[in-house]
Amino acid sequence: MGNYFNEKMETMSRDEMLALQSERLVDTVRRVYDHVAPYRAKMDAIGIKPEDIRSVEDLSKLPFTTKQDLRDNYPYGLFALPPADVAEIHASSGTTGKQTVVGYSKADLDVWGEIAARAIVAAGGGKDDYLHVSYGYGLFTGGLGLHYGGQKMGATVIPVSAGNTKRQIQIMQDFGSTILACTPSYALYLGETVCDMGVQDKIHLKAGIFGAEPWTEEMRREIEQRLNIKAHDIYGLSEIMGPGVSFECAEQTGMHVNEDHFIVEIIDPDTGEVLPDGSEGELVFTCITKEALPLIRYRTRDISMLSRKPCSCGRTLVKMAKPRGRSDDMLIIRGVNVFPSQVEAALLQVGGKGTAPYYQLIVDRVNNLDTLEVQVEMDSSFFSDTVRGIEEQEKKIAKQLDFILGLSAKVTLVEPKSLARSEGKAVRVIDKRKLHD
Amino acid sequence: MIIKQLSVFVENKPGRLAEITALLAEAKVDIRALSVADTNDFGILRLIVNNPDKAEETLKSHGYTVALTKVITIGIHDQPGGLAGPMKILYENGISVEYMYAFISKTVNTAYVILRVEDNEKAIEVLQKNGVTLVSEEEVYSM
């Protein structure tokens, strides 16, 4: 079976895949129209009937779904199944407003396990592996998603969940963890702690599967070096399924979308127009096998692009680029779009030894003008015994930020480990402007 | 002739100096001389101690950013003009001083000055040539 979990689906020809997607789409649209009142109302409003959707080519006739639709129909309004058939509930960690609730049938959970299993196998996982899951377990989809994937492909799952870093490292040593699954910022923190404790030789990880937040190539290299592993990206969002919507193979040049379960599109975020492969735009997914919550053309707010260039791994599934950041994370400062990942890239370019210092963006509004301060933890590569030396470092960082962001920022070096570390998702931004509104 | 100075990055927050000095006390490190350079946001604490390597290790293990900086120490007469002479020598030889600080010793009539210059070797050479007393590492640590 090589390094595929489901060779048939992962290497299917384009024509066969389109036929399969069309068949599944037609069925999904019919189910949604019949069982989800808000969808029926949306389709009726623009005069679209289920019979107008005959193939994937008709997809663009359908209206979009947004996070607002989920909020408006909180908690179960968009479910296509009665409660008796819903097996599990999860909720997104929504940073703004009400959280969004998602549901799964027994069959949905099986599909979820399947797509996460494909990701683990693509990262080099096999039945003999010990899968160390440090994503949080609970309503967040990270923990259980990888857990179901590990069970499906036959690895031994260690459900450690998030937190207690020293204990995590002890478990890695004692239980012989070989594959780590967690957020990239936590992987970095684990790596840092492993190095501080001097136990690199006692850890036997070979690969990592990291997702749920944006990360940079520089971060990948650093995680790989600190933990001596190959780091793979995994993408997902709870509204669509959870981790495993797309995943990285050994080539590490983008994530293969599980197209037999999800149709992916790239649209212009302003006009909603579908863009051709290779264009940058907003990712939109349509669930075509989901029973409990089959979302149609769900707008992710993630900025990415698609590529159908043949992949050396043999998979024919389309690849999406690592999202530049969720637009939830995107800040608009003085009219300029800023992603925290860009700040990270700037810092790595300045830091001589290739390690990523911790940082935090503090955005405020003073006299109607947005201000950006970037606090960066002092690192031995930035330190000098003279004030001038340290101020020069701050200027160097500010100059690089200006170059990358097109925005001037105040840079402040702070003491190591003084910025808040989260054991789950990294808190990269403090936007004080929201507090004043 | 070259002395190791401990340079520590300190944020301008209450209690930082109290913590650092307590850690050094616990490690039985004796402070010979110190100076603090401060700005709005941060300071650099510079210390001459009896055991710089131990002090560095102690502070590093508590998460401080620390560097050992090479400086030189001169002994001068504790009287008007005592410092003017060596300064003139450095100036005339094109050696600029990044920073310096002084302390007096138990030896009567002698003061010591820690100098941080760009080129230690050159500074040592011109000072010695002009008869200025340079203090050895052992002497400073054991004062």
Side-chain angles (χ1 to χ4, degrees):
Chain A
M1 204 172 85
N3 63 338
Y4 308 117
F5 178 72
N6 186 336
E7 185 166 1
K8 181 171 175 242
M9 290 299 172
E10 294 178 57
T11 62
M12 188 176 263
S13 76
R14 184 77 192 131
D15 288 345
E16 278 178 292
M17 182 58 82
L18 281 170
L20 180 68
Q21 286 185 327
S22 294
E23 184 192 315
R24 289 178 168 180
L25 175 67
V26 169
D27 170 65
T28 302
V29 172
R30 166 56 67 191
R31 276 190 295 121
V32 161
Y33 188 82
D34 290 347
H35 300 292
V36 187
Y39 266 129
R40 189 164 50 243
K42 264 194 173 193
M43 285 170 65
D44 285 345
I46 53 167
I48 292 282
K49 294 285 170 220
E51 45 273 26
D52 295 329
I53 307 302
R54 291 189 204 91
S55 76
V56 175
E57 280 176 36
D58 298 320
L59 183 63
S60 60
K61 294 178 184 166
L62 291 164
F64 291 113
T65 309
T66 64
K67 196 156 195 136
Q68 193 56 45
D69 292 315
L70 284 162
R71 290 198 188 114
D72 291 346
N73 295 287
Y74 178 88
Y76 304 140
L78 293 180
F79 282 23
L81 288 181
D85 296 326
V86 176
E88 193 165 309
I89 295 289
H90 282 270
S92 82
S93 53
T95 46
T96 50
K98 223 184 281 182
Q99 56 184 0
T100 44
V101 176
V102 298
Y104 305 79
S105 68
K106 274 257 158 56
D108 291 340
L109 292 175
D110 203 48
V111 170
W112 192 9
E114 154 102 24
I115 60 171
R118 291 181 193 175
I120 299 164
V121 171
K127 289 187 192 326
D128 296 333
D129 279 300
Y130 289 90
L131 179 70
H132 184 113
V133 182
S134 304
Y135 279 116
Y137 277 64
L139 288 173
F140 172 54
T141 50
L144 282 168
L146 269 297
H147 187 97
Y148 295 148
Q151 289 190 328
K152 187 88 176 177
M153 48 69 70
T156 306
V157 181
I158 314 176
V160 196
S161 196
N164 199 342
T165 305
K166 292 234 160 91
R167 180 167 154 265
Q168 299 262 359
I169 293 167
Q170 194 62 50
I171 287 172
M172 280 181 194
Q173 295 176 52
D174 296 351
F175 298 2
S177 311
T178 54
I179 301 178
L180 171 66
C182 62
T183 58
S185 59
Y186 191 53
L188 205 55
Y189 184 56
L190 273 169
E192 201 178 323
T193 313
V194 163
C195 293
D196 283 353
M197 289 167 71
V199 294
Q200 295 101 310
D201 296 346
K202 295 181 185 145
I203 303 285
H204 302 290
L205 292 173
K206 62 173 190 188
I209 300 169
F210 308 121
E213 60 187 24
W215 49 312
T216 58
E217 283 304 317
E218 285 90 346
M219 238 171 125
R220 186 207 300 270
R221 279 194 288 277
E222 187 164 349
I223 293 168
E224 290 190 330
Q225 184 212 325
R226 284 191 188 171
L227 289 170
N228 193 23
I229 59 172
K230 193 153 182 183
H232 296 264
D233 205 350
I234 186 168
Y235 174 87
L237 60 174
S238 57
E239 296 91 323
I240 298 305
M241 186 62 96
V245 170
S246 67
F247 60 94
E248 222 171 37
C249 62
E251 218 184 68
Q252 296 179 312
T253 53
M255 291 171 278
H256 292 286
V257 178
N258 282 305
E259 291 182 279
D260 50 330
H261 297 290
F262 316 103
I263 302 176
V264 60
E265 301 169 275
I266 289 279
I267 62 159
D268 179 323
D270 297 323
T271 64
E273 187 196 342
V274 178
L275 301 175
D277 292 346
S279 322
E280 192 176 71
E282 181 179 341
L283 279 168
V284 171
F285 287 99
T286 298
C287 303
I288 51 172
T289 55
K290 207 132 161 254
E291 294 182 339
L293 183 63
L295 296 184
I296 306 287
R297 303 192 84 199
Y298 183 72
R299 293 186 61 161
T300 62
R301 319 299 301 172
D302 283 343
I303 305 296
S304 179
M305 62 172 86
L306 300 178
S307 163
R308 291 202 175 272
K309 265 190 226 141
C311 186
S312 65
C313 74
R315 287 180 183 80
T316 51
L317 302 171
V318 69
K319 277 199 282 198
M320 53 174 265
K322 188 189 272 297
R324 270 213 291 148
R326 287 216 168 138
S327 59
D328 297 353
D329 294 326
M330 190 186 81
L331 291 157
I332 300 179
I333 304 171
R334 277 175 250 154
V336 179
N337 294 356
V338 175
F339 290 99
S341 58
Q342 293 175 294
V343 171
E344 176 141 353
L347 289 173
L348 280 154
Q349 283 163 12
V350 176
K353 60 178 193 181
T355 54
Y358 259 75
Y359 64 92
Q360 204 161 54
L361 279 68
I362 296 155
V363 190
D364 206 347
R365 187 166 289 153
V366 180
N367 299 328
N368 294 318
L369 185 69
D370 292 342
T371 59
L372 171 64
E373 178 182 354
V374 179
Q375 294 196 343
V376 184
E377 285 188 2
M378 180 55 101
D379 175 293
S380 56
S381 67
F382 292 147
F383 187 51
S384 157
D385 65 310
T386 66
V387 171
R388 194 180 48 173
I390 292 176
E391 286 178 346
E392 265 167 20
Q393 276 300 337
E394 290 181 336
K395 273 189 208 135
K396 226 160 122 183
I397 296 169
K399 202 172 148 196
Q400 194 63 25
L401 284 171
D402 196 354
F403 177 67
I404 289 186
L405 305 177
L407 197 67
S408 64
K410 176 183 179 351
V411 173
T412 310
L413 288 162
V414 299
E415 276 178 29
K417 310 221 159 128
S418 64
L419 296 176
R421 301 280 202 275
S422 81
E423 303 225 322
K425 293 197 178 197
V427 184
R428 294 299 193 200
V429 177
I430 296 176
D431 196 341
K432 295 182 176 169
R433 294 176 299 183
K434 285 178 189 149
L435 304 177
H436 306 323
D437 288 344
Chain B
M1 293 296 145
I2 292 171
I3 318 287
K4 284 188 231 166
Q5 168 196 275
L6 203 65
S7 310
V8 190
F9 181 75
V10 192
E11 245 184 278
N12 275 358
K13 280 197 286 200
R16 308 313 284 147
L17 291 174
E19 185 182 304
I20 293 169
T21 48
L23 287 170
L24 293 178
E26 212 174 294
K28 304 258 180 286
V29 171
D30 205 351
I31 300 170
R32 295 277 168 266
L34 67 84
S35 92
V36 182
D38 70 305
T39 71
N40 264 341
D41 301 317
F42 66 87
I44 304 162
L45 176 64
R46 299 159 184 150
L47 297 163
I48 302 293
V49 299
N50 64 337
N51 189 342
D53 295 318
K54 190 173 178 194
E56 184 196 21
E57 192 194 304
T58 302
L59 294 180
K60 268 196 174 158
S61 72
H62 284 85
Y64 284 91
T65 304
V66 185
L68 288 178
T69 312
K70 289 173 177 169
V71 295
I72 55 178
T73 304
I74 56 172
I76 56 171
H77 293 299
D78 189 5
Q79 65 186 45
L83 184 57
M87 287 298 111
K88 187 160 179 265
I89 294 160
L90 291 176
Y91 167 66
E92 284 173 354
N93 285 276
I95 296 169
S96 54
V97 177
E98 291 276 344
Y99 57 81
M100 63 178 196
Y101 49 103
F103 61 107
I104 48 172
S105 75
K106 292 161 195 159
T107 321
V108 180
N109 284 337
T110 305
Y112 297 96
V113 180
I114 313 286
L115 288 169
R116 164 76 159 88
V117 296
E118 272 306 314
D119 187 343
N120 280 321
E121 301 301 330
K122 192 178 170 200
I124 290 170
E125 189 198 317
V126 301
L127 289 168
Q128 275 182 332
K129 207 167 70 190
N130 289 280
V132 177
T133 311
L134 280 135
V135 189
S136 77
E137 218 178 335
E138 297 72 37
E139 269 178 88
V140 172
Y141 300 156
S142 64
M143 267 173 194

